[in-house]
Amino acid sequence: MNPEKQNIAQFKSLVKRLAYLFTTIIFIVMVLFLFLFFNSSVISLFQNSGPDLDSLYVEAEKKVLLQNEMAKVWRPADINLITDATLKQEVEYGKDLIAHTAKYLGPNGSVKQISNGMNCNNCHLDAGTKVWGNNYGSVYSMYPKMRSRSGQVENLYKRVNDCMERSLNGQHLKEDDREMKAMIAYIEYIGSNVPKGQKAHASGIYDLEYLDRAADPGKGRTLYDAKCASCHQVNGQGILAADKKEYTYPPLWGANSYNSGAGLFRISRFAGYIKYNMPLGATYENPQLSDEESWDIAAYVESLDRPSKDLSKDWPKIAKKPIDHPFGPYADSFSETQHKYGPFKPIKKEKKKMEEAEEKLKSKT
């Protein structure tokens, strides 16, 4: 082929390629235009107002914060990693005692009959391991410790027996009882991954913000009937399991519930417990109740009759009583009713003033 014809052939080939390229570009542009024009979800992104976009950003930020929070929460040490067969057996027995206390120590218990039929698990969910479920994450790391309620340094034996005598409205176990040793072994092992003197993240019960009003038992009753009665029953007496040894759903008041000395009889404790654990299926990631609903349900439950306990030796220094301790005497002039139901912010403010005054007095002496 002569050079002239070769140049013409190359030119035609180049023109053809450019035509193909141009056609392809036009096609891509048209497809993108049609996609943007007809896809309502994409168009809505451009048409959304500023506040709507802001809400999307806020929700995304909340999700990230929650994920970061959950990454830090305490998880129990794995029982399956125990290599000592004797220790593992004891720890597993301790876990079963926590989960099914009444089977061993309830009214029809196989070991002793010294409690009301509730399980430790009814207050310490998932055998004391649930996030903000009144878990045991900080128990081993913080005990022995000084407790203002007794005015003494308490060890784990004392702490477990407090639950036996108050939450389970029963009798104490001896320090050398096999059941006491097993429960202690379980609590110590699952919390052994928390350094001594430090608190585990998301352990115990979540502290809800105080309301600007008193918690309302009347509102709480309506909410209870709608959200709680299907499990705990309208009369609050719970549902016994088929074996009649323990409760599938525990009683919240009445003769078989926790007594007036239990920690959950303080409304702030019970409200915080409700918030991230009730109704059944609620979690810290997916709560089902608002703060106000939690406070009001707690107020209703705590307004009803339950076994009493002699508390005359509790809080030897009355100024150390919690703001929501439901029984006097108090170091301030607020009523017993306000201490039980609130509003708590004025009491908190007064308590802070008293503590500051005490500190000033100490600094002068």
Side-chain angles (χ1 to χ4, degrees), residues 103-161:
K103 284 188 174 183
Y104 301 97
L105 304 173
N108 298 308
S110 59
V111 177
K112 294 181 180 183
Q113 298 80 46
I114 60 172
S115 70
N116 59 6
M118 291 177 67
N119 297 321
C120 297
N121 191 76
N122 296 141
C123 299
H124 304 279
L125 297 175
D126 295 346
T129 65
K130 187 180 179 185
V131 174
W132 292 124
N134 204 12
N135 65 54
Y136 298 137
S138 297
V139 177
Y140 176 57
S141 67
M142 299 302 290
Y143 276 82
K145 74 173 184 179
M146 176 70 185
R147 298 190 74 207
S148 296
R149 186 168 72 181
S150 64
Q152 300 174 351
V153 175
E154 297 183 5
N155 58 22
L156 282 181
Y157 297 104
K158 166 65 173 167
R159 187 68 190 89
V160 170
N161 272 331

Side-chain angles (χ1 to χ4, degrees), residues 16 45 77 88 91 120 194 209 245 268-269 272-273 291 296 301 310 321:
K16 187 182 290 187
L45 288 176
K88 186 174 183 179
V91 170
C120 297
V194 182
E209 290 289 329
K245 290 185 177 181
S268 68
R269 299 294 78 207
Y273 179 80
D291 287 9
D296 289 337
V301 171
D310 178 12
K321 280 186 177 181

Side-chain angles (χ1 to χ4, degrees), residues 73 188 202 312:
V73 300
E188 287 185 343
S312 59

Side-chain angles (χ1 to χ4, degrees), residues 193-255:
N193 53 8
V194 182
K196 274 289 189 179
Q198 294 185 24
K199 289 195 71 174
H201 190 67
S203 63
I205 296 174
Y206 190 87
D207 290 320
L208 287 184
E209 290 289 329
Y210 292 135
L211 301 180
D212 291 323
R213 61 170 175 83
D216 188 334
K219 291 181 179 179
R221 178 174 184 171
T222 302
L223 289 162
Y224 176 89
D225 289 344
K227 300 185 180 284
C228 313
S230 59
C231 292
H232 298 285
Q233 305 299 288
V234 172
N235 63 7
Q237 301 311 293
I239 298 176
L240 269 174
D243 62 8
K244 304 298 181 184
K245 290 185 177 181
E246 62 181 342
Y247 285 93
T248 302
Y249 303 107
L252 298 183
W253 63 85

Side-chain angles (χ1 to χ4, degrees), residues 7 59 92 107 155 163 169 180 184 222 225 240 243 251 253 302 342 351 354 363:
N7 289 337
E59 288 303 314
E92 287 177 336
N155 58 22
C163 285
N169 193 36
M180 172 62 85
I184 294 292
T222 302
D225 289 344
L240 269 174
D243 62 8
W253 63 85
E302 308 295 34
K351 186 180 180 73
M354 294 171 65
S363 65

Side-chain angles (χ1 to χ4, degrees), residues 1-12:
M1 182 181 292
N2 62 49
E4 185 178 350
K5 288 184 178 181
Q6 187 175 3
N7 289 337
I8 291 172
Q10 289 177 347
F11 177 76
K12 287 181 178 180

